[in-house]
Amino acid sequence: MKSAAPTALRGRIVTFRADPFATDPSSALLIEEDGLILMENGQINAVGSYDRLRHRLSPDTTLVSYGKALISAGFIDTHVHYPQLPVIASWGEQLPQWLERYVFPAEAAFADPQLARDVARRFLRELMRAGTTTACAYCTVHPQSVDAFFTESERLGTRMIAGKVLMDRNAPAELRDTAASGHAESSALIARWHGRGRQLYAVTPRFAITSTPEQLEAAGDLLRTHDGVYLQTHLAENMEEIATVRRLFPERSSYLDVYDHAGLLGPRSVFGHAIHMTETDFCRCHETDSALAHCPTSNLFLGSGLFRVFDALDRRRPVRVGLGTDIGAGTSLSHLRTMGEAYKVAQLTGRSLHPAQALWLATAGAARSLSLDTQIGTIAPGMEADLCVLDPCATPLLRYRTERCASIEELLFVLMTLGDERCVKATWVAGRLIHENAGDTSSER
Ligand code: GUN
Ligand code: ZN
């Protein structure tokens, strides 16, 4: 669903002219203090200073002015589980026990298609409230969980990547498929959803522990036989998990090699977590152009470890990285919160993540990690008109602190440290206003 009517947004535009990990972070930012974005038919037609572009405002253009609020590309969540929304904030476990105690029972409830529809709707509404316009999402083993998600995404007009979880062992019986049934159900879902409007399919083996070698081979077959589909799975998140993978696949040289052997690495493959990686693993990701999802709130919450973002992005063999919330192990759907936690994780590894680098991981870098950077992630002519508007004065403390900011970079840093959904004043999807937060009251369309 696109807005055909011409619309223009005026405000402080913040986007990228370059990769802030490859150049000086400040000069990678493209800032227009009093900017104008012209949108039509779901796309951005022009971006620049208000003074330069105002003559292009025709009488039928709707102009929305956001004053001193920042206009950014919509956030992109590269790793999230929508069915885990009901068990976000579940106490006391690390990954293997957390999956058994909370996640598997929650996912089993998706046998009920009505529940799947309800959670999908609530989840996507929360994403809009967070200013997140694209996500790479896990569904459950049930095909109807995928239908529920894409149906709601199609209604909103969002660009989403999602797929049915494949699990044929080491999971409760009601959550298991087989190598053959998982292949057949995934093929049918690809035929139904992949490339329909803005929806894209991801082949989704949960992780090496819950798939037999036959199922991983079947996933490889799906990738080889369907153009442009994605692959998402988990990698090297937790020490106990890694020991189990070693026991299950003694003939493989590493956890990553399990996936490599099945043909699962490539430019549309996104591996979640990747905390405990060797230099050989990073090199192999670089060679195959596989991407990693950095999920700081989840890695802290489950006590999994610290992702080394600067190692992953090492200029000698950079690996593409985007930010993921990893709900329900993650603790917030807000990418502002996630950027703030990514900063703290980097501090614990002795490095300071620049606010431009954090914003990059949440927008343009995330788009690049999903091979979608010609469509989303930056504000430029020809890009899809997915935007979020961030209010630097959303709370009294934010107002107090941001009044003292001397630069947009400082402002961004304060927003990512103190901000969350309350700062998202509006979310635009394909040129349409989808969420609006007017102080105490917020509305969804
Ligand atoms: N590894 C396998 N499944 C999951 C999951 O649902 N969440 C996280 N964080 N890690 C996993
Ligand atoms: Zn996950």
Side-chain angles (χ1 to χ4, degrees), residues 80-83 135-143 145-147 149-150 160-166 186 189-190 193 200-205 230 232:
V80 64
H81 301 252
Y82 96 83
C136 193
Y138 289 61
C139 302
T140 68
V141 75
H142 315 93
S145 71
V146 181
D147 290 328
F149 184 81
F150 279 137
M160 293 286 162
I161 305 171
K164 171 203 126 66
V165 163
L166 299 166
S186 301
L189 288 164
I190 291 168
W193 291 109
L200 296 163
Y201 195 83
V203 176
T204 309
Y230 287 80
Q232 60 180 349

Side-chain angles (χ1 to χ4, degrees), residues 93-411:
E93 306 290 4
Q94 300 214 347
L95 176 67
Q97 299 74 26
W98 173 82
L99 285 173
E100 293 281 337
R101 180 170 169 188
Y102 298 112
V103 170
F104 290 156
E107 294 193 4
F110 281 69
D112 173 4
Q114 185 56 45
L115 178 115
R117 281 193 289 273
D118 289 348
V119 179
R121 268 191 214 125
R122 180 175 295 273
F123 174 85
L124 282 158
R125 197 159 65 225
E126 286 297 322
L127 274 194
M128 298 303 106
R129 278 167 36 76
T132 299
T133 48
T134 289
C136 193
Y138 289 61
C139 302
T140 68
V141 75
H142 315 93
Q144 65 265 27
S145 71
V146 181
D147 290 328
F149 184 81
F150 279 137
T151 299
E152 182 61 9
S153 172
E154 190 168 61
R155 191 182 76 77
L156 293 170
T158 42
R159 181 171 284 293
M160 293 286 162
I161 305 171
K164 171 203 126 66
V165 163
L166 299 166
M167 270 203 289
D168 68 344
R169 65 167 164 178
N170 294 323
E174 66 272 26
L175 282 178
R176 287 203 299 265
D177 54 12
T178 66
S181 72
H183 185 280
E185 288 171 348
S186 301
S187 296
L189 288 164
I190 291 168
R192 184 140 73 243
W193 291 109
H194 184 65
R196 171 162 148 182
R198 303 185 80 194
Q199 316 312 318
L200 296 163
Y201 195 83
V203 176
T204 309
R206 175 171 225 116
F207 64 161
I209 294 177
T210 47
S211 285
T212 57
E214 294 69 42
Q215 184 162 65
L216 295 176
E217 293 293 328
D221 181 71
L222 287 167
L223 285 188
R224 277 189 299 279
T225 52
H226 296 90
D227 253 6
V229 299
Y230 287 80
L231 179 286
Q232 60 180 349
T233 190
H234 296 86
L235 172 67
E237 176 179 3
N238 164 288
M239 297 311 285
E240 186 181 330
E241 170 210 17
I242 293 166
T244 306
V245 172
R246 197 171 295 132
R247 209 169 52 248
L248 290 172
F249 296 89
E251 66 288 3
R252 302 272 63 92
S253 61
S254 75
Y255 194 157
L256 184 69
D257 188 47
V258 172
Y259 297 137
D260 201 358
H261 186 75
L264 302 186
L265 276 57
R268 285 198 168 72
S269 299
V270 186
F271 296 96
H273 305 282
I275 298 168
H276 308 285
M277 297 277 279
T278 62
E279 180 56 24
T280 310
D281 292 334
F282 281 132
C283 285
R284 188 65 188 139
C285 287
H286 172 77
E287 277 166 19
T288 57
D289 208 10
S290 301
L292 306 177
H294 176 18
C295 307
T297 75
S298 166
N299 297 341
L300 294 171
F301 182 75
L302 290 180
S304 303
L306 306 175
F307 178 76
R308 301 189 317 268
V309 68
F310 288 97
D311 283 356
L313 290 160
D314 190 325
R315 296 276 304 276
R316 288 167 300 181
R317 46 115 193 89
V319 180
R320 293 174 302 154
V321 177
L323 273 189
T325 64
D326 194 31
I327 298 304
T331 51
S332 171
L333 273 175
S334 164
H335 254 359
L336 290 175
R337 289 285 298 271
T338 311
M339 289 157 64
E341 296 306 289
Y343 175 79
K344 295 175 195 169
V345 167
Q347 287 290 85
L348 284 166
T349 67
R351 300 290 300 266
S352 299
L353 187 69
H354 190 280
Q357 294 174 329
L359 183 65
W360 166 267
L361 292 174
T363 57
R368 186 185 282 184
S369 79
L370 299 176
S371 302
L372 288 174
D373 48 320
T374 56
Q375 285 134 293
I376 57 171
T378 47
I379 305 178
M383 301 293 283
E384 296 172 2
D386 292 346
L387 302 161
C388 71
V389 182
L390 303 172
D391 178 6
C393 302
T395 70
L397 179 58
L398 269 164
R399 178 186 294 275
Y400 176 73
R401 178 62 182 87
T402 56
E403 271 169 6
R404 287 161 175 72
C405 288
S407 66
I408 289 268
E409 287 150 58
E410 188 182 355
L411 184 63

